[in-house]
Amino acid sequence: EAGVAQSPRYKIIEKRQSVAFWCNPISGHATLYWYQQILGQGPKLLIQFQNNGVVDDSQLPKDRFSAERLKGVDSTLKIQPAKLEDSAVYLCASSLGWGQGALGYTFGSGTRLTVV
Amino acid sequence: AQKVTQAQTEISVVEKEDVTLDCVYETRDTTYYLFWYKQPPSGELVFLIRRNSFDEQNEISGRYSWNFQKSTSSFNFTITASQVVDSAVYFCALSCRQAGTALIFGKGTTLSVSS
């Protein structure tokens, strides 16, 4: 089966610019997650969707980050305006959901963002 | 609070040595899932294993084995006869309802295997 698709693979922007990342989860996966992985650390959850509703966005810096999941499938994560500390790899993941025992939890290849 | 601790930041071994990566977790949930992921230099997260809290049976897959002990809240990972290709960052992660089912990662252990 096809995996979790993310684009772009790399992005370099100047601080205060805006950027958007796209994610297409595995077909049939109800739950979609965006994680931020700063160099040298483990991934940290930014936001979790169940279908097209937000389940948890408690760690999303809402003054600059936003995310949506249209029609419960694809998702976009936006940063506006970007700061130097936003430099990280942004990982999208999807799973069948908790009722399935977090089965099928799969990560995309990530988008590496560099803010200069 | 939910937490995953990987106390070993970096481990260096020589090929063919056995190595164990430690993972200690905290949760009050009685139902939870534990994971191990490998992150090679290319950056992608490679799934290694998923274990639910009701299954304490140890698992072996080729050179990899996992020791799950609820009594000590540990889920350790052993690589037997390590190879250079095993060099990567290894993450232990926890998923439980209290955390909204997202994965809570440890800080990772960097394993370097030299020839």
Side-chain angles (χ1 to χ4, degrees):
Chain A
E1 66 177 3
V4 175
Q6 287 189 250
S7 67
R9 191 76 174 90
Y10 303 94
K11 191 74 176 179
I12 301 174
I13 62 172
E14 296 183 350
K15 58 184 179 184
R16 291 186 290 272
Q17 284 187 327
S18 62
V19 64
F21 313 128
W22 173 83
C23 173
N24 180 240
I26 291 175
S27 177
H29 279 195
T31 312
L32 184 147
Y33 313 81
W34 282 102
Y35 287 84
Q36 179 192 57
Q37 186 177 17
I38 293 172
L39 185 65
Q41 300 181 19
K44 183 188 78 172
L45 179 72
L46 291 176
I47 189 167
Q48 176 184 346
F49 292 94
Q50 181 72 17
N51 296 311
N52 60 351
V54 176
V55 174
D56 181 1
D57 63 356
S58 58
Q59 298 189 81
L60 187 73
K62 298 181 185 64
D63 58 333
R64 298 183 300 105
F65 286 65
S66 64
E68 60 181 5
R69 189 181 184 193
L70 299 174
K71 299 180 181 179
V73 183
D74 292 8
S75 177
T76 57
L77 175 69
K78 297 179 181 178
I79 307 175
Q80 181 180 12
K83 293 185 175 181
L84 295 176
E85 59 260 37
D86 297 332
S87 295
V89 175
Y90 291 85
L91 294 160
C92 179
S94 69
S95 75
L96 287 167
W98 179 257
Q100 301 292 329
L103 197 61
Y105 216 114
T106 305
F107 283 86
S109 299
T111 296
R112 184 178 297 275
L113 174 67
T114 302
V115 182
V116 298
Chain B
Q2 305 77 43
K3 186 178 178 182
V4 174
T5 302
Q6 296 181 255
Q8 305 150 308
T9 305
E10 295 182 18
I11 300 176
S12 295
V13 299
V14 178
E15 261 192 321
K16 298 182 184 177
E17 282 187 34
D18 298 347
V19 58
T20 295
L21 309 181
D22 298 333
C23 172
V24 175
Y25 62 93
E26 296 177 31
T27 179
R28 291 184 180 178
D29 274 344
T30 55
T31 302
Y32 52 88
Y33 298 87
L34 295 165
F35 299 76
W36 274 95
Y37 283 88
K38 174 182 180 180
Q39 190 172 47
S42 54
E44 74 274 20
L45 279 170
V46 178
F47 168 81
L48 295 177
I49 189 170
R50 165 184 166 274
R51 176 54 53 87
N52 75 57
S53 53
F54 298 107
D55 182 3
E56 287 195 70
Q57 189 172 9
N58 291 333
E59 182 157 339
I60 298 175
S61 176
R63 296 184 297 108
Y64 296 169
S65 62
W66 291 270
N67 183 352
F68 177 31
Q69 293 192 340
K70 289 179 72 172
S71 60
T72 56
S73 297
S74 64
F75 187 43
N76 297 337
F77 172 34
T78 297
I79 302 175
T80 303
S82 59
Q83 300 176 1
V84 173
V85 293
D86 295 328
S87 297
V89 181
Y90 291 86
F91 291 99
C92 180
L94 166 71
S95 176
C96 56
R97 284 194 180 278
Q98 282 188 336
T101 77
L103 294 187
I104 301 165
F105 284 84
K107 292 186 176 181
T109 297
T110 300
L111 174 65
S112 298
V113 183
S114 58
S115 58

